[in-house]
Amino acid sequence: MHMHMHMLWFVFLAAVGPSVLGLLKVEASSVVAPCAAPLQWEGRWVLYNHRSGRNHRAAVSYDGLNHRIRVLQRHKKHTPCQRFFEYIYLYQSMVMFQIDQKTKECSKIALTDAWDPFDIPDNSTFEDQYFIGGPGDNVEVQEWSDRKPARQHETWVGVYTLKDCYPVQETYTRNSSVTTSTRFFNLQLGISDPDVFTPPSTCQAARPERMAEADC
């Protein structure tokens, strides 16, 4: 009786073996991979600097194809001493223009950091997938990081929508001290006006030093 049972069990394993292997292959092929974020979009962001405790609200044009970003700070009436600037980052030329929105004064400053696109690098670590919001009013996102086994803490965490891979939030920690969190919203595909990346004529006589963000 025992011999027959062993034979039946062997036949059963032989029969289901291929299907089990097939299931393992399906699971292996469904390993989560980073999505490809849009290369050109416009929208708004709020950048929070954890060291200064300040939020910077701005309209943003992002051109990943030509490695350039234009940031137009939004005016806030409750900060009378605050100066508001337009920033044009041209990474192909490695320069940044800072333009005072009121006086049109301009500074031209060399960029030292390499181009860092708003996307999920291929070597990123998958952290989680979840819904932002509640039933009937939510969006599904994935969270990625640069966490590696040999590193104690991640220095970058990115949250991107699952459907079209739009950025939702990115958090950077530099030198274990300076942390910035950027929240993205109201994004639209494409660049409506490419001229926003062209510095105004006042930048032909640009000063080499950065302008202060407050008058008093």
Side-chain angles (χ1 to χ4, degrees), residues 53-134:
R54 292 183 56 193
N55 284 296
H56 300 270
R57 303 176 186 275
V60 181
S61 298
Y62 170 78
D63 183 4
L65 288 174
N66 299 293
H67 296 187
R68 53 189 186 175
I69 303 175
R70 185 256 198 161
V71 178
L72 185 67
Q73 290 184 329
R74 297 177 65 87
H75 289 261
K76 294 174 290 184
K77 294 180 181 179
H78 56 278
T79 52
C81 293
Q82 186 70 31
R83 298 174 69 182
F84 294 93
F85 296 98
E86 174 186 5
Y87 295 92
I88 301 174
Y89 297 83
L90 304 176
Y91 280 88
Q92 289 184 344
S93 304
M94 291 303 289
V95 295
M96 182 269 282
F97 293 92
Q98 178 194 25
I99 303 110
D100 187 305
Q101 292 186 33
K102 187 176 181 180
T103 66
K104 301 304 178 183
E105 290 178 274
C106 182
S107 291
K108 181 180 180 181
I109 300 161
L111 292 172
T112 55
D113 294 330
W115 167 253
D116 185 8
F118 290 115
D119 66 359
I120 308 170
D122 291 336
N123 61 350
S124 299
T125 300
F126 176 74
E127 297 289 353
D128 204 355
Q129 183 169 317
Y130 48 85
F131 288 95
I132 295 176

